[in-house]
Structure formats: structure tokens, C-alpha cells
Amino acid sequence: GAGVSQSPSNKVTEKGKDVELRCDPISGHTALYWYRQSLGQGLEFLIYFQGNSAPDKSGLPSDRFSAERTGGSVSTLTIQRTQQEDSAVYLCASSLRRSGYGYTFGSGTRLTVV
Amino acid sequence: AQKITQTQPGMFVQEKEAVTLDCTYDTSDQSYGLFWYKQPSSGEMIFLIYQGSYDEQNATEGRYSLNFQKARKSANLVISASQLGDSAMYFCAMREGPGSGGSNYKLTFGKGTLLTVNP
């Protein structure tokens, strides 16, 4: 696609439920990143994919968070047993290769846990 | 300590005037990169400008320029001739370590400045 696509754009879920957030990167981009933006905060790094493998998961806040990437393309971030503190905007980004010069972000998924 | 500090939660500017958004950073690395992103209400993070720590000239991209003062660890964004469409959140971010080789890719973001351009 022309840009990084994320779905859904908004998700409201009840506390304790599992949610899946999807990211479709720019075609051909091998590197994919997930960030989280909590209210009034900057973005915080969650996980980095190179192809289908995740060499850096250091930002995942707990074992309730997991992510996978298939076919070197679409990535899914899964949050199990959601908590209210998980409410945030989850942003995905991709780059042609692992990049220290920035990357292209999607519009994010706004997750609200009630 | 905060690695990226944006001290202005909100700024107002009149259309067609220039505005400076402040950013200070903290790193012990000699090689690093500084970024500014714009986030309109749609939520997408839009890359504006990049400054490498070894770049001697201040970066410029159209109406955007980065006032890089290395000794002060300051990387302020200057927007000239503000437009109504410039109203958005602006984030300063830093990559620590060299960008070449792709070994450093994590960006650390500040908390942002909400810019409002008044007609």
C-alpha cells in the first residue's frame, strides 16, 4: 500500500478481554516497529521486527503483550486480559530496512479499556 | 532524567508569523540524531526534519528549520510563516548512537508541544 495502514482505528474493549491490533506496512519494507502513546506522553518503543523475527522485544510492558509478523508483511499486536492502563494509541511504523534515520508511521489504533 | 524535554505544553502563534518550539536532549553519545515529527488530529506521525550530531549546518526543509546548538544540547524547531494547517502536536525525538549500519533504530520521544495557529 501507499502508506502504513492500521486497523481498527478505534477500539473500545472491556477490562479483561483480549484485543488484536493490526498493522499493514508499506510494501517492501522489511523493518516494522510498534510504539505506544499514552495520554499526554510521548511515544514509547514496544517491539521491532526484521522480516518475521523480532530481535528486540525490550519495550513490551508485560507478558500480556505479544506480537507476531507473518509473510514479512502484516503484524498483529495482541494484548491479553486488557487493563485500564493499556488505554493508549498504538502506532506502527515501517522502514525499508532497519533504520536509524526514522521511519513512516501509520495513523494508529486508539485503544480504550473500560 | 528525561532524555528529551519539551518545556512548552502549548504554544499559540498568529498565521504568517514564525514560531519556535523548544527541545533539549540528554545523551552521552557523540553520535546521535534528532528528529521532529508533526501529529495532526488524524493521529499519523509525520516526519518533518532530521539533524545528525555531526552535521555542521542546521537542517532545513521548506518552512521548517532546526536550530541545533550542540553545546547547549538544544534542537529547537523553527516554523516560518505559520499556516492554519500547522496546528498540531509536535514531537522532538532522538536516536542515540550512529544511524548508519542500522544498529540503532529506537527513537526516544518528548511529550510534545501542541501548536495552535490563529487566523
Side-chain angles (χ1 to χ4, degrees):
Chain A
V4 178
S5 178
Q6 292 188 246
S7 61
S9 55
N10 280 285
K11 175 74 176 178
V12 179
T13 190
E14 291 182 353
K15 179 181 172 181
K17 300 273 190 179
D18 298 352
V19 294
E20 286 189 352
L21 313 180
R22 176 189 168 105
C23 172
D24 200 344
I26 292 173
S27 178
H29 280 194
T30 62
L32 186 147
Y33 318 82
W34 283 96
Y35 280 76
R36 179 171 71 172
Q37 183 179 19
S38 301
L39 187 63
Q41 303 293 318
L43 280 68
E44 59 174 328
F45 170 82
L46 296 179
I47 187 170
Y48 153 67
F49 283 92
Q50 180 61 44
N52 292 335
S53 65
D56 187 349
K57 307 178 183 179
S58 62
L60 294 179
S62 74
D63 58 9
R64 295 187 297 104
F65 287 72
S66 63
E68 65 174 12
R69 189 178 184 195
T70 55
S73 181
V74 172
S75 176
T76 303
L77 177 68
T78 301
I79 309 173
Q80 296 178 309
R81 305 181 302 281
T82 51
Q83 304 294 315
Q84 287 186 332
E85 61 263 28
D86 300 335
S87 295
V89 176
Y90 291 82
L91 285 152
C92 175
S94 70
S95 59
L96 191 59
R97 59 184 66 82
R98 187 175 53 185
S99 172
Y101 296 104
Y103 15 78
T104 304
F105 282 90
S107 295
T109 294
R110 181 176 298 277
L111 175 67
T112 304
V113 181
V114 297
Chain B
Q2 295 256 355
K3 285 189 176 287
I4 296 287
T5 301
Q6 295 181 252
T7 57
Q8 306 152 315
M11 287 282 285
F12 294 88
V13 65
Q14 286 297 120
E15 193 178 8
K16 299 181 185 177
E17 292 187 351
V19 62
T20 297
L21 306 184
D22 294 342
C23 173
T24 57
Y25 59 91
D26 182 26
T27 182
S28 57
D29 286 347
Q30 296 300 307
S31 180
Y32 52 89
L34 297 158
F35 302 76
W36 278 91
Y37 281 86
K38 172 185 178 181
Q39 187 179 42
S41 56
S42 61
E44 186 176 0
M45 295 286 284
I46 301 168
F47 167 76
L48 295 178
I49 197 166
Y50 168 81
Q51 178 88 38
S53 58
Y54 292 120
D55 294 341
E56 294 185 352
Q57 301 290 326
N58 284 344
T60 61
E61 290 286 348
R63 294 185 299 112
Y64 304 107
S65 60
L66 197 151
N67 184 0
F68 182 44
Q69 298 189 38
K70 196 169 182 176
R72 295 184 179 185
K73 293 190 174 179
S74 162
N76 297 340
L77 177 70
V78 180
I79 306 175
S80 63
S82 296
Q83 302 173 356
L84 296 178
D86 293 336
S87 294
M89 281 290 286
Y90 288 81
F91 291 94
C92 180
M94 176 174 64
R95 177 209 72 235
E96 292 183 275
S100 60
S103 60
N104 299 291
Y105 45 83
K106 290 182 196 174
L107 300 184
T108 302
F109 286 81
K111 294 187 178 182
T113 296
L114 179 62
L115 177 66
T116 302
V117 180
N118 294 318

